[in-house]
Amino acid sequence: MVGRLSKDEAGVALGLAIVLVVVIGVMGAGLLTLIIADLQAMAEANRGQQAFEMAEAGIEVAKARLADTPDLAEWSSGELRVEGVEEGSVLVFVERQDSEDARFVATSIGQYSSARRKIEATFDVANGEPRLLTWREVYV
């Protein structure tokens, strides 16, 4: 009789189906974990980019301040917010490099959610025109 299973083979198909479902479930859970980790890393990178852009905007604020007041000795913006950006802020500090020199160091710290970026720029001010000399991102 070809159509009948022997007593030794009874329930084998059910056992194989259960094993197959468990293996597929474990693989799916592993894939889901990888996807979640990748999404979190991408979100953190986006927050970092937003913080960097906030810090760049702060350097532009410092440049505008130096254009308005070229004999500035020291200045701090306090916390600035960008219109339309709820989670972000920027702090800007400007100080004269040397009392006899018209060079200034501007430090801008951008923050967006949990990410922070810091940029330092050196300006030379001649005839009321700030000119960018150096620019660098400082890792904090």
Side-chain angles (χ1 to χ4, degrees):
M1 296 187 157
V2 176
R4 293 199 156 252
L5 296 173
S6 69
K7 289 186 177 189
D8 293 338
E9 295 175 355
V12 171
L14 179 61
L16 286 175
I18 290 173
V19 168
L20 187 61
V21 167
V22 169
V23 167
I24 290 172
V26 168
M27 289 173 58
L31 182 61
L32 186 61
T33 302
L34 288 174
I35 290 171
I36 289 172
D38 190 44
L39 285 173
Q40 288 174 340
M42 185 63 71
E44 185 61 32
N46 287 339
R47 285 190 290 269
Q49 182 64 32
Q50 289 288 334
F52 180 78
E53 290 173 7
M54 297 291 284
E56 279 187 318
I59 293 298
E60 291 300 316
V61 167
K63 184 177 179 180
R65 182 65 182 193
L66 287 169
D68 287 345
T69 314
D71 61 344
L72 193 66
E74 190 173 301
W75 176 77
S76 173
S77 69
E79 186 177 31
L80 300 174
R81 299 227 173 242
V82 176
E83 185 177 333
V85 180
E86 294 180 20
E87 296 183 52
S89 66
V90 64
L91 292 170
V92 183
F93 306 95
V94 177
E95 59 186 357
R96 186 181 289 270
Q97 215 173 21
D98 189 349
S99 61
E100 300 171 8
D101 202 4
R103 289 191 178 180
F104 297 87
V105 175
T107 304
S108 177
I109 303 169
Q111 182 156 351
Y112 188 84
S113 189
S114 61
R116 290 180 55 166
R117 298 293 184 268
K118 182 178 179 181
I119 296 175
E120 288 182 354
T122 305
F123 290 96
D124 181 38
V125 180
N127 301 323
E129 280 294 316
R131 183 173 55 104
L132 181 65
L133 299 176
T134 63
W135 180 99
R136 68 183 180 130
E137 183 177 4
V138 180
Y139 294 96
V140 287

Coordinates of all heavy atoms in Angstrom, one line a residue, residues 85-130:
V85 N 12.1 75.4 13.4 CA 12.9 74.3 13.9 C 12.7 74.2 15.4 O 13.2 75.0 16.1 CB 14.4 74.4 13.5 CG1 15.2 73.2 14.1 CG2 14.6 74.5 12.0
E86 N 11.9 73.3 15.8 CA 11.5 73.2 17.2 C 12.6 72.6 18.1 O 12.8 73.1 19.3 CB 10.2 72.4 17.4 CG 9.0 73.1 16.8 CD 7.8 72.3 17.0 OE1 7.7 71.5 17.9 OE2 6.8 72.6 16.2
E87 N 13.3 71.6 17.6 CA 14.3 70.9 18.5 C 15.7 71.5 18.5 O 16.5 71.1 19.2 CB 14.4 69.5 18.0 CG 13.1 68.7 18.2 CD 13.3 67.2 17.8 OE1 14.3 66.6 18.3 OE2 12.5 66.7 17.0
G88 N 16.0 72.5 17.6 CA 17.3 72.9 17.4 C 17.6 74.3 18.0 O 16.7 75.1 18.2
S89 N 18.8 74.5 18.4 CA 19.3 75.8 18.9 C 20.8 76.0 18.6 O 21.4 75.0 18.2 CB 19.0 75.9 20.4 OG 19.8 75.0 21.1
V90 N 21.2 77.2 18.7 CA 22.6 77.5 18.5 C 23.1 78.5 19.5 O 22.4 79.4 19.9 CB 22.9 77.9 17.0 CG1 22.2 79.2 16.7 CG2 24.3 78.0 16.7
L91 N 24.4 78.4 19.9 CA 25.0 79.3 20.8 C 26.3 79.8 20.0 O 27.0 79.1 19.5 CB 25.5 78.7 22.1 CG 24.5 78.2 23.1 CD1 25.1 77.4 24.2 CD2 23.8 79.4 23.7
V92 N 26.4 81.2 20.0 CA 27.5 81.8 19.3 C 28.4 82.6 20.3 O 27.8 83.4 21.0 CB 27.0 82.6 18.1 CG1 28.2 83.2 17.3 CG2 26.1 81.8 17.2
F93 N 29.7 82.5 20.2 CA 30.6 83.3 21.0 C 31.6 83.9 20.0 O 32.2 83.2 19.2 CB 31.3 82.4 22.0 CG 30.4 81.6 22.9 CD1 30.1 80.3 22.6 CD2 29.9 82.2 24.0 CE1 29.3 79.6 23.4 CE2 29.0 81.5 24.8 CZ 28.7 80.2 24.5
V94 N 31.9 85.2 20.2 CA 32.9 85.9 19.4 C 33.9 86.5 20.4 O 33.4 87.2 21.3 CB 32.3 86.9 18.5 CG1 33.4 87.7 17.7 CG2 31.3 86.3 17.5
E95 N 35.2 86.4 20.2 CA 36.1 87.1 21.0 C 37.3 87.5 20.2 O 37.7 86.8 19.2 CB 36.6 86.2 22.2 CG 37.2 84.9 21.9 CD 37.5 84.1 23.1 OE1 37.2 84.5 24.2 OE2 37.9 82.9 22.9
R96 N 37.9 88.6 20.5 CA 39.1 89.2 19.8 C 40.2 88.3 20.1 O 40.5 87.9 21.3 CB 39.3 90.6 20.3 CG 40.4 91.3 19.5 CD 40.6 92.7 20.0 NE 39.5 93.6 19.6 CZ 39.4 94.3 18.5 NH1 40.4 94.2 17.6 NH2 38.4 95.1 18.3
Q97 N 41.0 87.9 19.1 CA 42.2 87.1 19.3 C 43.3 87.8 20.0 O 43.9 87.2 20.9 CB 42.6 86.6 17.9 CG 43.2 85.2 17.9 CD 43.4 84.7 16.5 OE1 43.6 85.5 15.6 NE2 43.5 83.4 16.3
D98 N 43.5 89.0 19.7 CA 44.6 89.8 20.2 C 44.1 91.3 20.4 O 43.4 91.7 19.5 CB 45.8 89.8 19.3 CG 47.1 90.4 20.0 OD1 46.9 91.0 21.0 OD2 48.2 90.2 19.4
S99 N 44.4 91.9 21.4 CA 43.9 93.3 21.6 C 44.4 94.3 20.5 O 43.7 95.3 20.3 CB 44.3 93.8 23.0 OG 45.7 93.9 23.1
E100 N 45.5 94.0 19.9 CA 46.1 94.9 18.9 C 45.7 94.5 17.5 O 45.9 95.2 16.5 CB 47.6 94.9 19.0 CG 48.1 95.4 20.3 CD 49.6 95.3 20.5 OE1 50.2 94.9 19.5 OE2 50.1 95.5 21.6
D101 N 45.1 93.3 17.4 CA 44.8 92.7 16.0 C 43.3 92.8 15.8 O 42.5 92.9 16.7 CB 45.3 91.3 16.1 CG 45.5 90.7 14.7 OD1 45.4 91.5 13.7 OD2 45.8 89.5 14.6
A102 N 42.9 92.8 14.5 CA 41.5 92.8 14.1 C 41.1 91.4 13.8 O 40.2 91.3 12.9 CB 41.3 93.8 13.0
R103 N 41.6 90.4 14.4 CA 41.2 89.1 14.2 C 40.3 88.6 15.3 O 40.6 88.9 16.5 CB 42.4 88.1 14.1 CG 43.1 88.4 12.8 CD 44.2 87.4 12.5 NE 44.8 87.6 11.3 CZ 45.8 86.9 10.8 NH1 46.2 85.8 11.4 NH2 46.3 87.2 9.6
F104 N 39.3 87.8 15.0 CA 38.3 87.4 15.9 C 38.1 85.9 15.7 O 38.2 85.3 14.6 CB 37.0 88.1 15.7 CG 37.0 89.5 15.9 CD1 37.4 90.4 14.9 CD2 36.7 90.1 17.2 CE1 37.5 91.8 15.1 CE2 36.8 91.4 17.4 CZ 37.2 92.3 16.4
V105 N 37.9 85.2 16.9 CA 37.5 83.8 16.8 C 36.1 83.6 17.2 O 35.6 84.1 18.2 CB 38.4 83.0 17.8 CG1 37.9 81.5 17.8 CG2 39.8 83.0 17.5
A106 N 35.3 83.0 16.3 CA 33.9 82.8 16.5 C 33.7 81.3 16.7 O 34.2 80.5 16.0 CB 33.1 83.2 15.3
T107 N 33.0 81.0 17.8 CA 32.7 79.6 18.1 C 31.2 79.4 18.1 O 30.5 80.2 18.7 CB 33.2 79.2 19.5 OG1 34.6 79.5 19.6 CG2 33.0 77.8 19.9
S108 N 30.7 78.5 17.4 CA 29.3 78.2 17.2 C 29.0 76.8 17.6 O 29.6 75.8 17.1 CB 28.8 78.5 15.8 OG 27.5 78.2 15.6
I109 N 28.0 76.6 18.5 CA 27.7 75.2 19.0 C 26.2 75.0 18.6 O 25.3 75.7 19.1 CB 27.8 75.1 20.5 CG1 29.3 75.3 20.9 CG2 27.4 73.7 20.9 CD1 29.5 75.5 22.3
G110 N 26.0 74.1 17.6 CA 24.7 73.8 17.2 C 24.2 72.5 17.9 O 24.9 71.6 18.1
Q111 N 22.9 72.6 18.3 CA 22.3 71.4 18.9 C 21.0 71.1 18.3 O 20.2 72.0 18.1 CB 22.1 71.6 20.4 CG 21.6 70.4 21.1 CD 21.9 70.4 22.6 OE1 22.7 71.2 23.1 NE2 21.3 69.4 23.3
Y112 N 20.8 69.8 18.0 CA 19.5 69.4 17.4 C 19.2 68.1 18.1 O 19.9 67.1 17.9 CB 19.6 69.2 15.9 CG 18.2 68.9 15.3 CD1 17.3 70.0 15.0 CD2 17.8 67.6 15.1 CE1 16.1 69.7 14.4 CE2 16.6 67.4 14.5 CZ 15.7 68.4 14.2 OH 14.5 68.1 13.7
S113 N 18.1 68.1 18.9 CA 17.8 66.9 19.7 C 19.0 66.5 20.6 O 19.4 67.3 21.3 CB 17.3 65.8 18.8 OG 16.7 64.7 19.5
S114 N 19.5 65.3 20.4 CA 20.6 64.8 21.2 C 22.0 65.1 20.6 O 23.0 64.8 21.2 CB 20.5 63.3 21.5 OG 20.5 62.6 20.3
A115 N 22.0 65.6 19.3 CA 23.2 65.8 18.6 C 23.8 67.2 18.8 O 23.0 68.1 18.8 CB 23.0 65.5 17.1
R116 N 25.1 67.3 18.9 CA 25.8 68.6 19.1 C 26.9 68.6 18.1 O 27.7 67.7 17.9 CB 26.3 68.8 20.5 CG 25.3 69.0 21.5 CD 25.9 69.1 22.9 NE 26.9 70.2 22.8 CZ 27.4 70.8 23.8 NH1 27.1 70.4 25.0 NH2 28.3 71.8 23.7
R117 N 27.1 69.8 17.5 CA 28.3 70.0 16.6 C 28.8 71.4 16.9 O 28.1 72.3 17.2 CB 27.8 70.0 15.1 CG 27.3 68.7 14.7 CD 28.4 67.6 14.7 NE 27.9 66.3 14.2 CZ 27.4 65.3 14.9 NH1 27.3 65.5 16.2 NH2 27.0 64.2 14.3
K118 N 30.1 71.5 16.8 CA 30.8 72.8 17.2 C 31.7 73.2 16.0 O 32.5 72.4 15.5 CB 31.7 72.6 18.4 CG 32.4 73.8 18.9 CD 33.1 73.4 20.2 CE 33.9 74.6 20.8 NZ 34.6 74.2 22.0
I119 N 31.7 74.5 15.7 CA 32.5 75.0 14.6 C 33.2 76.2 15.1 O 32.6 77.0 15.8 CB 31.6 75.4 13.4 CG1 31.0 74.2 12.7 CG2 32.5 76.1 12.3 CD1 30.0 74.5 11.6
E120 N 34.5 76.3 14.8 CA 35.3 77.5 15.1 C 35.8 78.1 13.8 O 36.2 77.4 12.9 CB 36.5 77.1 16.0 CG 36.2 76.7 17.4 CD 37.4 76.4 18.2 OE1 38.5 76.4 17.7 OE2 37.3 76.2 19.4
A121 N 35.7 79.4 13.8 CA 36.1 80.2 12.6 C 36.9 81.4 13.0 O 36.6 82.0 14.1 CB 34.9 80.6 11.8
T122 N 37.9 81.7 12.2 CA 38.7 82.9 12.5 C 38.4 84.0 11.4 O 38.4 83.6 10.2 CB 40.2 82.6 12.5 OG1 40.4 81.6 13.4 CG2 41.0 83.8 12.9
F123 N 38.1 85.2 11.9 CA 37.8 86.3 10.9 C 38.8 87.4 11.1 O 39.2 87.7 12.2 CB 36.4 86.8 11.2 CG 35.2 85.9 10.8 CD1 34.7 85.1 11.8 CD2 34.8 85.9 9.5 CE1 33.6 84.3 11.5 CE2 33.7 85.1 9.2 CZ 33.1 84.2 10.2
D124 N 39.1 88.0 10.0 CA 39.9 89.3 10.0 C 38.9 90.4 9.5 O 38.2 90.2 8.6 CB 41.0 89.1 9.0 CG 41.9 90.4 8.9 OD1 42.1 91.0 10.0 OD2 42.3 90.8 7.8
V125 N 38.8 91.5 10.3 CA 37.9 92.5 10.0 C 38.7 93.7 9.5 O 39.5 94.3 10.3 CB 37.0 92.9 11.2 CG1 36.1 94.0 10.8 CG2 36.3 91.7 11.7
A126 N 38.5 94.1 8.2 CA 39.2 95.3 7.7 C 38.1 96.2 7.0 O 37.3 95.7 6.2 CB 40.2 94.9 6.7
N127 N 38.1 97.4 7.4 CA 37.1 98.4 6.9 C 35.7 97.9 7.1 O 34.8 98.1 6.2 CB 37.3 98.7 5.4 CG 38.7 99.2 5.1 OD1 39.2 100.0 5.9 ND2 39.3 98.8 4.1
G128 N 35.4 97.3 8.2 CA 34.0 96.9 8.5 C 33.6 95.6 7.8 O 32.5 95.2 7.9
E129 N 34.5 95.0 7.1 CA 34.2 93.8 6.3 C 34.9 92.5 6.9 O 36.1 92.4 6.9 CB 34.7 93.9 4.9 CG 33.8 94.7 4.0 CD 32.4 94.0 3.8 OE1 32.4 92.7 3.5 OE2 31.4 94.7 3.8
P130 N 34.1 91.6 7.5 CA 34.7 90.4 8.1 C 35.1 89.5 6.9 O 34.3 89.2 6.0 CB 33.7 89.8 9.0 CG 32.4 90.5 8.6 CD 32.7 91.7 7.9

